[in-house]
Amino acid sequence: MTAGEVDTSRSAEWMARAEAVFPGGVNSPVRAFRAVGGTPRVIARAAGPRLWDVDGNELIDYIGSWGPMILGHAHPEVVAAAQAAVERGTSYGAPNVLEVELAEEITAAMPSLERLRFVSSGTEAAMSALRLARGYTGRDKIIKLAGGYHGHADALLVRAGSGAAGIGRPTSAGVTEAVAAETLIAPYNDVRAVQRLLDEHGTSVAALIVEPVAANMGVVPPAAGYLESLRRLTHEAGALLIFDEVITGFRVARGGAQALYGVTPDLTVLGKIIGGGLPVGAYGGRAEIMAEVAPDGPVYQAGTLSGNPVAMACGLATLRQLNDDVYRQLDEYGATIEAGLSDAARSAGSLLKVVRVGSLLTAFFDDDASFGRFFHGMLSRGVLLPPSQQEAWFVSAAHTYVELRATLVAARAALREMAA
Ligand code: PMP
């Protein structure tokens, strides 16, 4: 099948209407396909590992809502939990049972979170964790690693200045130079660069925030000993170590990257999976640090929809399914795709290289144009990949070898077409 044979006229019509109401026709930039070109599919429904667009085309999904859908779409237990919760009311603005149960589930899986606070997105969680780190330490600066993404709070939309490391510069219009100057940047997996920043600014650094497995520049695992070094250096400097586990939490292991690599941060940022597809984030850590958060302490942070009962119900239903068997299965699926893609690349003479941690993986091409061709080759064959090679593919427990085989057949054909 070639791209020309797939009818996408309804998606195109809806995207035209969307462009009249949203910037770029979307509510989050990556959805607009700018990195790969073409028109996004508008999704009508989803079940298990599959999506259906408004033209009725079926797609095997590797976006998985960018992480939350670890059980696949519309998992019966999650749907039932959501329905039951909705019937009891959608929001109270008062304490509820489900938020306590979900928090207990999380703290049991990730013991470094002695206390936590629910918010409504990963952005909000990261932003709040930084404010807390600053309030707790009485220091202003933070260290962020180049290529790391922690949501769109001002202090985190910052890249390296002229050198590879040092004072940050805004990556977004609307972020002031003054805010960006409080963010110091070091390359990922470079211990010496962090050491240099701490030597120079140590007594004014409140925290270092890191994705323990980088997943927003494509998947890049931590070098051996890297996380341990960050732990030691931040401790020596009196700065907090913040793990942003919005992607890795309950994904690379039930206890997240901190369990997988055995390194304990002071604060952890969570999102995505803990809401089972509904808007949830959380930040948490040692009780003594969390005691600084209002109303116990002076660091203010609040949210009308925080701990929302429907979102808590979906999160709880999701996390309760995630046992060792699920993680074993996910790792097997990831390994199957990695091996199949690498093999397909070899026979097609492609430079594609797969990097994987469990069920997170990226197929890196030597340039974005090649990735764009591969992406469209896959899409026209019914496989939806993240529309940028800076993003991770997310495999779910609802995928089966049927979808994996179909994916690898499509990949072989797409790579052959590219070589032709
Ligand atoms: N941190 C990481 C590591 C992320 O990948 C993301 C989103 N992809 C965020 C934070 C922000 O989360 P949200 O989109 O829910 O605001």
Side-chain angles (χ1 to χ4, degrees), residues 219 334 337 341 354-363 391-393 395:
V219 173
I337 296 173
L341 278 180
V354 181
V355 178
R356 177 180 77 90
V357 176
S359 59
L360 286 177
L361 62 114
T362 300
E391 307 280 356
W393 305 15
V395 187

Side-chain angles (χ1 to χ4, degrees), residues 13-389:
E13 286 164 22
W14 278 104
M15 281 311 296
R17 285 173 66 176
E19 274 157 25
V21 287
F22 305 127
V26 292
N27 283 302
S28 200
V30 72
R31 298 177 197 173
F33 276 23
R34 294 287 162 87
V36 293
T39 306
R41 301 291 181 86
V42 175
I43 303 305
R45 73 187 174 90
R50 287 161 200 271
L51 301 167
W52 286 266
D53 68 19
V54 288
D55 291 283
N57 300 305
E58 189 174 304
L59 300 167
I60 300 173
D61 181 25
Y62 289 97
I63 296 178
S65 188
W66 306 99
M69 312 322 300
I70 192 165
L71 300 177
H73 296 282
H75 187 282
E77 302 271 344
V78 179
V79 171
Q83 283 169 340
V86 165
E87 301 210 343
R88 294 189 297 263
T90 49
S91 182
Y92 313 136
N96 66 74
V97 168
L98 291 166
E99 66 188 359
V100 180
E101 291 188 323
L102 181 57
E104 288 170 351
E105 193 81 20
I106 293 170
T107 56
M110 300 181 128
S112 78
L113 285 86
E114 294 173 352
R115 302 274 187 285
L116 62 89
R117 176 57 68 73
F118 285 120
V119 293
S120 298
S121 69
T123 292
E124 214 185 332
M127 175 188 88
S128 306
L130 288 189
R131 184 181 305 136
L132 172 57
R134 286 169 161 153
Y136 175 78
T137 59
R139 300 170 170 192
D140 289 345
K141 293 200 188 314
I142 58 156
I143 298 177
K144 176 189 171 290
L145 304 167
Y149 180 70
H150 309 286
H152 63 85
D154 283 2
L156 294 163
L157 289 181
V158 173
R159 68 166 139 68
S162 46
I167 303 283
R169 301 190 49 77
T171 40
S172 165
V175 174
T176 64
E177 297 282 344
V179 164
E182 301 284 29
T183 302
L184 308 172
I185 304 288
Y188 185 72
N189 272 339
D190 182 342
V191 175
R192 285 206 191 149
V194 170
Q195 174 82 71
R196 276 196 298 275
L197 287 179
L198 287 170
D199 286 347
E200 191 173 341
H201 304 277
T203 54
S204 51
V205 174
L208 181 149
I209 185 165
V210 58
E211 291 180 72
V213 174
N216 284 285
M217 47 180 162
V219 173
V220 185
Y226 179 60
L227 298 175
E228 290 83 350
S229 297
L230 294 182
R231 176 64 287 179
R232 182 175 50 76
L233 291 174
T234 48
H235 181 73
E236 287 168 5
L240 300 185
L241 178 62
I242 305 175
F243 275 6
D244 179 344
E245 298 229 39
V246 166
I247 285 188
T248 52
F250 292 92
R251 166 65 65 175
V252 298
R254 195 174 155 81
Q258 53 197 273
L260 186 65
Y261 296 102
V263 176
T264 306
D266 299 299
L267 291 175
T268 298
V269 176
L270 294 169
K272 299 188 192 262
I273 286 177
I274 64 162
L278 271 80
V280 182
Y283 66 101
R286 287 210 308 281
E288 159 233 353
I289 304 172
M290 292 301 289
E292 295 295 303
V293 178
D296 280 352
V299 176
Y300 192 72
Q301 183 273 310
T304 300
L305 293 173
S306 299
N308 174 269
V310 182
M312 297 290 109
C314 285
L316 204 49
T318 299
L319 297 196
R320 283 182 174 159
Q321 304 286 321
L322 296 176
N323 55 33
D324 290 349
D325 289 343
V326 172
Y327 290 104
R328 239 189 322 273
Q329 180 84 84
L330 284 169
D331 192 58
E332 258 177 54
Y333 287 167
T336 300
I337 296 173
E338 178 182 9
L341 278 180
S342 305
D343 188 54
R346 264 192 305 277
S347 28
S350 162
L351 295 175
L352 173 162
K353 183 173 178 304
V354 181
V355 178
R356 177 180 77 90
V357 176
S359 59
L360 286 177
L361 62 114
T362 300
F364 288 101
F365 289 81
D366 54 341
D367 64 292
D368 286 341
S370 299
F371 176 77
R373 289 183 66 202
F374 181 65
F375 171 87
H376 282 292
M378 295 297 277
L379 183 59
S380 68
R381 293 173 174 86
V383 181
L384 180 63
L385 305 177
S388 158
Q389 63 176 340

